[in-house]
Amino acid sequence: MEKTKQEYAKGAILNKLVESCLNFNPNLFLPYLQSEKVTTDMPDKTRFYCFFEQMLLSAKNNSVEPMTFKIENPNWEEDKNMLHYNLYDSVHVHSRLSIRVKVTADEIYLDTMPF
């Protein structure tokens, strides 16, 4: 039996991405990642999810809670419509996790940043 994909509003998808990062729980985002509205820089969404899961695990192991989340637009970013969803801990200057996000009328593009 094939499971049908549920469609979510773009705001709900982005909110769940933030929630999954703050809770270090990639499973919270998995159903939202499956949305037709979401595209990634990876060859497929399974690879994106596996990498996202590993990045969250690494962030959790290398962070000092409490965590904060900031949506930023760095001045070095060439695409001014590309936002950076950054997860910070309470002691480090640089983010523990950064995801590039571009929202258009039709889709949400996610690009992982490994460093």
Side-chain angles (χ1 to χ4, degrees), residues 11-64:
I13 294 168
L14 296 172
N15 287 338
K16 197 54 75 168
L17 174 63
V18 172
E19 181 183 346
S20 69
C21 290
L22 285 170
N23 290 297
F24 300 110
N25 186 349
N27 289 328
L28 293 174
F29 184 61
L30 184 57
Y32 296 83
L33 175 63
Q34 299 303 323
S35 169
E36 295 292 326
K37 294 176 185 169
V38 177
T39 61
T40 74
D41 63 321
M42 296 285 186
D44 59 50
K45 291 180 181 181
T46 301
R47 288 187 186 180
F48 175 88
Y49 179 79
C50 290
F51 187 73
F52 178 63
E53 183 178 44
Q54 290 303 312
M55 292 299 291
L56 279 179
L57 179 61
S58 176
K60 182 176 183 178
N61 291 334
N62 295 303
S63 298
V64 178

Side-chain angles (χ1 to χ4, degrees), residues 62-68 88-96:
N62 295 303
S63 298
V64 178
E65 294 189 52
M67 306 302 289
T68 56
Y88 292 92
D89 71 356
S90 59
V91 296
H92 295 95
V93 173
H94 300 288
S95 65
R96 302 292 89 201

